[in-house]
Amino acid sequence: MPLSFTEVTGERMLDRAAEDAVPTCRRPPPYSEPARSLSSVLSRFTGDRSELTDEQAAVPDRDPYLLAQVRESFGRVVYSHKTHEKQADICFTKHRWQQGALIALTAISSGTFLAAVVGLLGSAVLTTLVTSSIALLVSWMSLGATTFKFKEEADAHRDVASRVWNVRESYISLIADLMSGKISDADARSRRDRLQETTREVYAAAPRTSGTAFSRAQDGLKNNEEMTFTSREIDLFLPTALRLDEGGA
């Protein structure tokens, strides 16, 4: 059945309204900015290398965290070395007092016995009591010398201090190489790992130290500057031809 004029006109109006409701996709205008070369684009991210000085370009970039860790380990090794030295001094002082007291009591006991033999002491009971008391003290001191081996302990701490000294000097060399840029970060990490393993082996066999030894080590390093020298002091240790003369005459 053919459509009337009114129906045809209505369908056309509906089709036009549907087309107006759907948004049209338009192509954006072409980018008008001129094309840039690859080098100019990369320079925005990497910077202009021509602005670096020859010295900066020659020295490779250092890892600041690596140097900080090595310095931290060096500080701990310095304290360990000085603490074991102080502990060795403490043990040796105890050993000297122990031996001195033992010799003194033995001499007194022998003198008392000889005095009793020749009859210089009037009371035999008093002589026997004094001689027995001193002999008992000598026995206690001898037992203490056998139990508390201060000399052996002092020698053990000295041995540990000498081994830690070697590690300490190796850390100084590593820090110098890092700061001068004469060693790569990979080589520095390898040397650091070897030093840490050596330090672990030393500490594993080291005897324990006391709080008194640590306090003396801290006082010696901070207040007495037992590990530091001025340039003038170092010059005085050296022959005249090897001096820098930085500290004045």
Side-chain angles (χ1 to χ4, degrees):
M1 180 178 180
L3 297 177
S4 62
F5 176 79
T6 303
E7 290 176 346
V8 173
T9 304
E11 289 182 357
R12 291 179 179 178
M13 293 178 64
L14 290 175
D15 293 339
R16 183 175 298 175
E19 292 177 358
D20 294 339
V22 177
T24 59
C25 297
R26 297 182 180 181
R27 180 177 299 177
Y31 187 61
S32 58
E33 184 177 355
R36 298 181 179 181
S37 63
L38 179 61
S39 59
S40 62
V41 175
L42 292 177
S43 63
R44 297 175 56 187
F45 301 95
T46 60
D48 189 0
R49 300 297 294 181
S50 61
E51 295 179 359
L52 296 177
T53 62
D54 295 337
E55 182 179 358
Q56 292 173 333
V59 178
D61 295 335
R62 311 304 312 180
D63 185 359
Y65 299 104
L66 176 61
L67 179 59
Q69 183 195 16
V70 171
R71 287 169 55 88
E72 179 85 11
S73 300
F74 167 72
R76 289 195 293 266
V77 168
V78 168
Y79 262 93
S80 297
H81 170 259
K82 185 59 63 175
T83 301
H84 280 284
E85 280 191 340
K86 297 299 182 181
Q87 188 65 52
D89 293 340
I90 292 173
C91 293
F92 188 73
T93 302
K94 290 181 179 180
H95 168 71
R96 294 293 296 271
W97 276 101
Q98 186 184 63
Q99 294 300 311
L102 182 59
I103 293 173
L105 290 174
T106 303
I108 294 173
S109 177
S110 301
T112 305
F113 175 76
L114 292 176
V117 169
V118 298
L120 296 179
L121 297 179
S123 176
V125 177
L126 178 61
T127 302
T128 303
L129 181 61
V130 172
T131 305
S132 300
S133 299
I134 295 176
L136 182 61
L137 290 176
V138 171
S139 299
W140 285 350
M141 290 297 298
S142 300
L143 181 61
T146 305
T147 304
F148 303 102
K149 301 179 181 180
F150 294 117
K151 186 178 184 304
E152 294 181 4
E153 189 175 353
D155 292 339
H157 284 289
R158 287 196 185 94
D159 179 68
V160 171
S162 64
R163 296 172 65 186
V164 174
W165 176 88
N166 186 40
V167 176
R168 186 194 72 181
E169 296 303 309
S170 298
Y171 268 113
I172 293 177
S173 301
L174 177 57
I175 292 174
D177 291 340
L178 279 171
M179 296 184 68
S180 64
K182 299 301 182 181
I183 185 175
S184 64
D185 288 346
D187 293 338
R189 290 188 179 94
S190 179
R191 288 173 57 179
R192 175 204 61 187
D193 294 341
R194 291 196 300 269
L195 286 174
Q196 288 178 349
E197 180 62 23
T198 303
T199 306
R200 186 196 65 81
E201 293 176 355
V202 173
Y203 287 166
R208 295 187 62 85
T209 56
S210 62
T212 303
F214 179 80
S215 299
R216 293 185 183 182
Q218 190 176 37
D219 180 68
L221 291 173
K222 288 186 176 181
N223 301 326
N224 299 332
E225 298 181 354
E226 295 184 0
M227 195 188 162
T228 57
F229 305 94
T230 63
S231 179
R232 177 57 179 168
E233 289 174 335
I234 297 176
D235 279 343
L236 293 177
F237 298 152
L238 296 171
T240 306
L242 300 180
R243 296 178 181 178
L244 298 177
D245 294 328
E246 295 180 351

